[in-house]
Amino acid sequence: MTKPPLTLYLAAPRGFCAGVDRAIKIVEMALEKWGAPVYVRHEIVHNKYVVDALRDQGAVFVEELEECPDDRPVIFSAHGVPKAVPAAAAKREMIYVDATCPLVSKVHIEAERHYANGLQMVMIGHAGHPETVGTMGQLPDGEVILVETAEDVATITPRDPNKLAFITQTTLSVDDTADVVAALQTRFPAIIGPHKEDICYATTNRQEAVKAMATMTNAMLVIGAPNSSNSRRLVEVGAKAGCTYAQLVQRAADIDWRALDGIDSIGITAGASAPEVLINEVIDAFKDRYSVTEEIVETAVENVEFKVPRVLREPA
C-alpha cells in the first residue's frame, strides 16, 4: 500500500539546551568520580527518559535533602534551590554539587543585588515550579512577591511602590511575560528591570522557531514532559501563532494518530530537556506511516556551552 505524503517541518533549534546538557553531564561525572549511588534532589531536568537513564546508572532521585545519607554526594537540580538547601548540606558536611543552570544563577545574583540596594522583588513565574521556589528562596521571606499573570499585578501590595525591581523565571513565554512587564511598568513606573532579559536564550530561540513553523502547517507536536515549563510554553506559543492542533507528547507512543488523520504537513519541536533520541523516535513513527519529506525550519544557531563545576574536573 502506498503511504500518503507528509512534509515534516523540524524546528531548529530544538531539544537540549546548554544548561540541561551540563546538568546531565554533572550527574554522569559524579557517578564516574564517586561511584553509585549519587543522590539528586528533585529531577535533574524535567524529562522521564533522562531521569530513568540516570537512575539506571546509579542516581537516586529524592524530593528533599533529609532523604539523603551524609556520606554520599548529592546534586542539586538544574532548576536551582533555595539558599537553605546548600546551607543544610554544608552543615551536615556532605559533598554537594550544584547543577543550577548558569542562566538561573544569573537571576539569583540579580535578585540579591537588588535586595542589597533596598529593593523588594517582584518575580514573574509559576507558583510551585522548582525554579520559582529556588529563586524566591534566595532572599528572606516577604522579599519576593510572585505574579503569574498581568491580572495579578493589580492585586499586589508592595512595601514601597517606588522601591521595586522585577525578575522572571527563565522558561516563560516571551510574549506573555511582555504583557506582565507592561502591567508592572504601568502600575509601578519606578520599577527596575533586569539589565538583560531573564528569559533564557534557549527558551526564546525555541519559541521563535515554533512561531516560524506555525505559519507553515496547522498541526504541531512538542516533545517534552508535562511538568516541563518550557515545553508547555511551546505548545501555547504554537497555538497562539495560528497552529490549530498543537500537542505535547512525551514520546512516539503518545501520538494521537486519529487526531492527525488527513494531515499533509506537521511541525515537530522539542522542549529544552527532551533528548534527540525521543525526537528521532517520533520522526521514525511518522516514517512508518507516511512517505516523509523533511524540511528544517532554522531561526537561530546555538553554540553555547557551560563548564561543569571544578570539583568534577579534579581527580577523586
Side-chain angles (χ1 to χ4, degrees), residues 119-175:
L119 302 179
Q120 191 177 16
M121 302 303 308
V122 177
M123 177 163 192
I124 306 166
H126 293 298
H129 187 278
E131 186 187 326
T132 301
V133 172
T135 301
M136 293 179 74
Q138 300 306 302
L139 301 183
D141 286 351
E143 290 303 320
V144 186
I145 303 166
L146 181 67
V147 294
E148 295 195 63
T149 63
E151 290 71 35
D152 290 347
V153 174
T155 67
I156 62 172
T157 48
R159 220 176 16 245
D160 181 344
N162 294 311
K163 289 190 172 179
L164 283 178
F166 72 86
I167 50 174
T168 69
Q169 187 179 322
T170 62
T171 54
L172 300 180
S173 154
V174 176
D175 298 334

Side-chain angles (χ1 to χ4, degrees), residues 19-54:
V20 164
D21 223 14
R22 173 181 180 268
I24 294 165
K25 209 178 281 176
I26 284 172
V27 180
E28 290 172 341
M29 288 174 76
L31 284 163
E32 214 173 283
K33 179 167 181 168
W34 293 298
V38 162
Y39 286 75
V40 184
R41 185 186 177 276
H42 286 172
E43 290 187 344
I44 187 70
V45 296
H46 283 155
N47 189 277
K48 185 182 184 302
Y49 182 92
V50 171
V51 168
D52 287 348
L54 292 171

